Amino acid sequence: MKKYSVTKSRNTRPKRGKRIILEMIQMLNRHGYCTLGEAFNRLDFSSAIQDIRRFTYVVKLLQLIARSQLTSLSGAAQKNYFSVLDKIVQKVLDDHQNPRLIKDLLQDLSSTLCILLRGVGKSVLVGNINIWVCRLETVLRWQQQLQDLQVTKVNDGLTLSDLPLHMLNNILYRFSDGWDIVTLGQVTPTLSMLSEDRRLWKKLCQYHFAEKQFCRHLIVSEKGHVEWKLMYFALQKHYPPREQYGDTLHFCRHCSILFWKDSGHPCTAADPDSCFMPVSPQHFIDLFKF
């Protein structure tokens, strides 16, 4: 019985998911969200990046657009895209938070721009070619600024090294990204020791990946222990890790609008919660692919 239910869900979920997306597209079209560019212009991402809960969501969305959807944006939307990106870079340079996220975004964007400017996509670029050359030069300048970024040290008060072991360990267990754990482990010898904890990496694997996935890529040491840290980075190459955002866009099926979850939405439906659907960055992109 259990086996049948698994097989059934695999056959029905994609069809149901596609049907829901098509319903959402029809509803959004009635409210003027006909293209990705129009949706990007109408949603105030410039303000969203000032909220730390939404920052990662917007960065991920911009990265997905940079990888494959940049040329689908209108001229106005492309201008808005680079304006939002400029504000993101300046914010990171000012507060020194999340530089790795922005470095990854700029790397993908510079690769896409290089391909387009070499002639592969010149026919689909909106605007004068010199504008795109200037944009690429700006991206390369941003990359250099982030590369040269130095975090200033504060000598007053307690430092991370002053915290007891159990608190340092608790901090590491709060991280959901393996690279953040590796980076923090480079700060002090104590953190380096704590960041190699097998149980920590086992928890991370279990959080991001299904049991069947890490069973297919099992890495065992000569002593017979599972190498959870190696498995985490190996699994990342085969499966997308679980995404985690402080706040996400939601879609109301009753009112046909997009809104930030934490901002709330005064829905007039009898049961508003049943009408709300979370929209991941990839889901947002998929809405405009059909």
Side-chain angles (χ1 to χ4, degrees), residues 172-185:
L172 286 168
Y173 270 84
R174 299 283 180 176
F175 286 8
S176 61
D177 190 306
W179 284 112
D180 288 337
I181 294 175
V182 171
T183 302
L184 187 58

Side-chain angles (χ1 to χ4, degrees), residues 142-158:
W142 286 338
Q143 286 181 299
Q144 188 59 52
Q145 289 175 329
L146 289 171
Q147 192 66 32
D148 298 337
L149 182 64
Q150 297 290 332
V151 179
T152 56
K153 294 183 179 180
V154 179
N155 297 323
D156 298 333
L158 292 173

Side-chain angles (χ1 to χ4, degrees), residues 78-280:
Q78 288 174 355
K79 184 177 180 180
N80 189 15
Y81 177 94
F82 282 95
S83 174
V84 174
L85 184 56
D86 180 34
K87 293 177 182 178
I88 288 176
V89 173
Q90 299 310 316
K91 184 177 188 301
V92 173
L93 291 174
D94 290 339
D95 62 23
H96 299 172
Q97 295 183 18
N98 300 301
R100 184 171 58 81
L101 288 177
I102 314 307
K103 287 179 181 179
D104 291 344
L105 164 58
L106 294 179
Q107 182 58 48
D108 288 339
L109 182 57
S110 62
S111 298
T112 298
L113 290 177
C114 285
I115 293 172
L116 293 174
L117 289 172
R118 285 174 187 152
V120 176
K122 280 185 178 180
S123 60
V124 294
L125 288 176
V126 178
N128 190 292
I129 191 67
N130 292 326
I131 294 176
W132 288 94
V133 172
C134 290
R135 284 173 174 169
L136 176 57
E137 291 175 348
T138 299
V139 171
L140 295 176
R141 185 179 74 252
W142 286 338
Q143 286 181 299
Q144 188 59 52
Q145 289 175 329
L146 289 171
Q147 192 66 32
D148 298 337
L149 182 64
Q150 297 290 332
V151 179
T152 56
K153 294 183 179 180
V154 179
N155 297 323
D156 298 333
L158 292 173
T159 66
L160 196 62
S161 303
D162 297 320
L163 297 176
L165 283 178
H166 74 276
M167 292 186 66
L168 292 174
N169 200 44
N170 192 32
I171 290 173
L172 286 168
Y173 270 84
R174 299 283 180 176
F175 286 8
S176 61
D177 190 306
W179 284 112
D180 288 337
I181 294 175
V182 171
T183 302
L184 187 58
Q186 296 172 348
V187 176
T188 66
T190 300
L191 285 169
S192 178
M193 178 268 295
L194 293 174
S195 69
E196 295 296 327
D197 183 7
R198 292 178 60 252
R199 291 173 298 177
L200 172 65
W201 291 98
K202 180 180 180 180
K203 289 277 188 183
L204 207 59
C205 285
Q206 292 174 332
Y207 174 78
H208 284 288
F209 309 106
E211 184 176 352
K212 288 184 178 179
Q213 292 174 335
F214 52 73
C215 284
R216 291 172 187 163
H217 302 274
L218 201 62
I219 302 175
V220 182
S221 67
E222 294 180 357
K223 296 182 180 180
H225 299 302
V226 177
E227 297 284 0
W228 291 106
K229 181 179 179 180
L230 294 178
M231 278 182 55
Y232 171 81
F233 291 107
L235 287 164
Q236 268 198 328
K237 298 177 181 179
H238 297 278
Y239 311 104
R242 180 178 175 182
E243 295 181 359
Q244 186 179 43
Y245 305 104
D247 191 12
T248 61
L249 282 176
H250 274 58
F251 178 74
C252 177
R253 299 180 68 183
H254 178 74
C255 304
S256 304
I257 67 168
L258 290 165
F259 65 97
W260 291 102
K261 181 183 177 182
D262 285 356
S263 295
H265 162 55
C267 182
T268 57
D271 184 12
D273 290 341
S274 65
C275 302
F276 298 165
M277 296 177 58
V279 181
S280 69

Side-chain angles (χ1 to χ4, degrees), residues 8-25:
K8 183 178 179 181
S9 65
R10 286 180 177 175
N11 291 335
T12 58
R13 282 182 181 175
K15 293 181 181 178
R16 181 175 178 273
K18 186 174 181 179
R19 185 176 70 250
I20 291 174
I21 289 178
L22 291 174
E23 288 177 4
M24 291 173 65
I25 292 172

